Amino acid sequence: FHHWELAFADIIADRGGFDLILGNPPWIKIEWNESQVMGDIDPSFVFRNYSVNQLSKMRDEIISKYKMRSNYLTAVEEAEATQNFLNAIQNYSALSGMKANLYKCFLPQAWSIGSLKGVSSFLHPEGVYDDPKGGAFRELLYPRLFLHFQFQNELKLFPIGNRNKFSIIAYNNEEQQIK
């Protein structure tokens, strides 16, 4: 967690914030994924379709055999803490009710640390536009939106599959009248 207001106090105080913010934030859903943790020890956790009972038994055996109880619990705590932080209304109130994904957190953060006449631009998926619980966030987003370029990875240049649509989007930090 970065304290922008402290690390860049001179820029925020003297200029009112950043004039330009560019980024390709991580497109990561914040959720507990036991298969990722257990798959590091036993890849069959990821590649085979075990029943819930089989996975539970395997988990207990692997944790015991490799003495990884502490590491397992640390991974659970880290995932839960991150999810709780990102979903907390006091941290990202604009995203209240939406599914947590790290890239979404970058948008209101950029608007808060950008100067009034500043611009922020990000490469990110289209999830902010089709999240059924994202209406309140879109009310904040649309008055800032001024460029939107949508792409589909048909040539598979990126390891995201070819069905995922993503965009390069530029936002004004100051809300404009929608035209």
Side-chain angles (χ1 to χ4, degrees):
F1 303 104
H2 190 73
H3 296 283
W4 293 92
E5 298 81 1
L6 296 175
F8 298 100
D10 54 338
I11 292 171
I12 292 172
D14 297 344
R15 302 182 55 112
F18 292 91
D19 294 328
L20 179 64
I21 299 171
L22 301 172
N24 179 6
W27 308 357
I28 300 171
K29 288 182 183 175
I30 304 302
E31 58 191 4
W32 168 242
N33 187 339
E34 183 177 55
S35 294
Q36 273 186 325
V37 174
M38 300 308 290
D40 286 345
I41 303 298
D42 184 348
S44 69
F45 253 86
V46 177
F47 298 114
R48 297 219 173 114
N49 287 327
Y50 291 119
S51 71
V52 173
N53 289 339
Q54 289 172 312
L55 288 174
S56 178
K57 184 178 178 184
M58 287 176 60
R59 176 191 335 107
D60 294 342
E61 289 172 2
I62 289 172
I63 288 173
S64 176
K65 180 179 177 180
Y66 294 101
K67 297 178 177 44
M68 60 176 283
R69 179 177 168 78
S70 177
N71 291 347
Y72 180 84
L73 292 176
T74 298
V76 171
E77 290 171 355
E78 184 178 310
E80 288 292 319
T82 302
Q83 191 171 31
N84 288 337
F85 179 84
L86 296 176
N87 286 325
I89 292 173
Q90 63 271 32
N91 296 328
Y92 294 97
S93 60
L95 301 173
S96 181
M98 295 177 70
K99 291 183 179 179
N101 193 312
L102 277 179
Y103 82 87
K104 292 177 183 176
C105 298
F106 278 69
L107 305 180
Q109 183 65 41
W111 302 333
S112 73
I113 62 171
S115 67
L116 196 55
K117 299 292 182 189
V119 172
S120 57
S121 183
F122 296 100
L123 184 133
H124 65 72
E126 294 286 304
V128 293
Y129 302 110
D130 59 15
D131 189 319
K133 295 184 179 180
F137 184 64
R138 285 188 289 276
E139 287 180 21
L140 298 172
L141 184 141
Y142 287 140
R144 291 178 165 87
L145 177 67
F146 77 93
L147 291 174
H148 182 228
F149 303 97
Q150 187 181 75
F151 304 93
Q152 191 157 343
N153 192 29
E154 290 182 25
L155 298 178
K156 298 182 181 174
L157 299 173
F158 306 103
I160 61 169
N162 68 341
R163 294 180 187 252
N164 294 7
K165 290 183 180 171
F166 60 96
S167 300
I168 295 176
I169 304 172
Y171 305 95
N172 287 308
N173 288 344
E174 182 179 40
E175 292 185 26
Q176 308 290 318
Q177 183 178 2
I178 298 173
K179 298 177 184 175

